[in-house]
Amino acid sequence: MSNLVIEIENVIKIHKQGALEVVALQGLDFEVQQGEFVVIVGRSGSGKSSLLQIIGGMDKPSAGKVSVAGMDLTSPLGADILTHFRRNVGFLWQDFTRNLVPYLKAIANVELPMLLAGVSSKRRRQRSKALLEVTDLLNRTYAKVNVLSGGEQQRLALCVALSLGPRLLLADEPTGELDTERSLQVYDLLRHLCNEGGLTVVAVTHDVALTGRADRVMHLQDGVFRTDVGARHKRAVDIAKDGTIRIPTELLAEGMMGTTAVAEVVHEGILLNRGGSDA
């Protein structure tokens, strides 16, 4: 892959629903570099999933240009070329059960994409065990999918998405079934894979609490990017002696926070998330 993994120019996506036309994406411009961890946040219907499917070559834009790893996905491509392309792109669906075969054991699910790709049995077993270990699923290696909890299934789906060693991972709500601690662990793992393995990650979510692991946070609203901020650029907030915290209004706006919040103690400090009627 070239250094510039994703390049999107003036992408428009229109969905037809009977006689109606719904504009999902409105002229997006978007670039992602190799090894970058980008999180796109936005509420349901903001266009997040449409964007991921276009980047993954599973859908085409109504207009504009999409280039991934130097391949123009808006040009006519043969089935063999698309198959090869998709083997280099891992996709974790929002409905993560689409990554899984329910009647197979956990390790068989992780091995299946490698089996279809012709990877040797020894290499399949080694990589599967390694992925199950880093996602804390090694004790569930020989359990069938249908006896795993929702959180275990979601982590297993991540293993399947990473099984072929993709250079790009597209994740649609990758921690939707996980509690805060497990979610942070998954994002820490993705952060490590970006730093050490050169993996590029584009994740979409409505959970702004997890954006601190990203290099960049993109806010998608009504099919357009409203802001683009460096998630790791920390800003000081004032804490009074009585415990009152003053958070800049622009930071609240970027985090899509409403007028109420839920405070939770986590291993890195205190986590604020949307709460009440604004959640």
Side-chain angles (χ1 to χ4, degrees):
M1 283 192 168
S2 61
N3 188 50
L4 186 61
V5 178
I6 300 171
E7 186 174 13
I8 288 178
E9 299 177 10
N10 195 29
V11 163
I12 298 171
K13 181 61 183 178
I14 300 173
H15 295 293
K16 292 187 177 182
Q17 298 178 355
L20 297 177
E21 291 188 345
V22 178
V23 181
L25 302 174
Q26 302 186 53
L28 290 188
D29 292 302
F30 182 45
E31 291 184 353
V32 180
Q33 304 289 329
Q34 182 177 349
E36 195 173 12
F37 186 177
V38 177
V39 170
I40 300 172
V41 296
R43 295 177 180 175
S44 178
S46 61
K48 305 188 307 294
S49 296
S50 293
L51 177 58
L52 272 200
Q53 293 190 30
I54 288 172
I55 295 173
M58 288 166 281
D59 197 4
K60 287 186 177 292
S62 304
K65 182 179 179 181
V66 179
S67 176
V68 179
M71 181 178 294
D72 182 2
L73 296 183
T74 52
S75 63
L77 298 172
D80 291 345
I81 295 176
L82 277 174
T83 298
H84 177 75
F85 167 77
R86 288 169 183 159
R87 285 181 179 175
N88 289 286
V89 178
F91 203 104
L92 181 59
W93 300 91
Q94 182 174 6
D95 178 9
F96 54 86
T97 58
R98 292 177 65 179
N99 286 80
L100 306 174
V101 180
Y103 55 82
L104 291 181
K105 296 176 180 177
I107 192 167
N109 270 274
V110 185
E111 287 189 356
L112 184 58
M114 293 184 280
L115 175 65
L116 297 175
V119 178
S120 69
S121 59
K122 181 179 180 180
R123 176 59 180 156
R124 293 199 306 268
R125 187 54 51 98
Q126 288 175 339
R127 181 160 180 81
S128 297
K129 288 286 187 70
L131 287 168
L132 291 170
E133 183 174 9
V134 298
T135 52
D136 199 22
L137 287 172
L138 204 54
N139 64 331
R140 307 294 269 161
T141 297
Y142 298 104
K144 289 187 176 180
V145 169
N146 55 13
V147 303
L148 300 179
S149 69
E152 288 172 334
Q153 289 183 23
Q154 189 153 33
R155 282 179 281 146
L156 180 61
L158 176 60
C159 292
V160 173
L162 294 172
S163 63
L164 286 174
R167 305 305 297 167
L168 171 63
L169 175 68
L170 304 174
D172 193 350
E173 299 288 357
T175 57
E177 289 291 326
L178 305 180
D179 58 27
T180 299
E181 184 177 359
R182 287 285 191 193
S183 296
L184 293 174
Q185 289 175 359
V186 168
Y187 271 60
D188 282 338
L189 170 61
L190 296 178
R191 172 78 268 156
H192 173 76
L193 292 172
C194 289
N195 288 345
E196 304 298 328
L199 178 68
T200 302
V201 176
V202 177
V204 302
T205 183
H206 69 277
D207 190 353
V208 297
L210 303 176
T211 57
R213 269 48 179 183
D215 294 312
R216 259 194 304 153
V217 181
M218 313 285 291
H219 294 263
L220 191 61
Q221 182 179 351
D222 298 327
V224 296
F225 287 125
R226 299 300 183 187
T227 56
D228 178 357
V229 299
R232 293 184 168 189
H233 179 64
K234 302 182 184 300
R235 288 175 235 189
V237 297
D238 297 324
I239 304 177
K241 290 183 179 180
D242 64 356
T244 303
I245 300 176
R246 296 179 61 84
I247 301 175
T249 55
E250 67 270 14
L251 193 61
L252 292 173
E254 289 173 5
M256 299 173 67
M257 297 288 283
T259 57
T260 60
V262 175
E264 179 182 359
V265 177
V266 296
H267 69 282
E268 289 190 338
I270 297 175
L271 172 70
L272 293 179
N273 202 350
R274 285 178 290 162
S277 61
D278 296 303

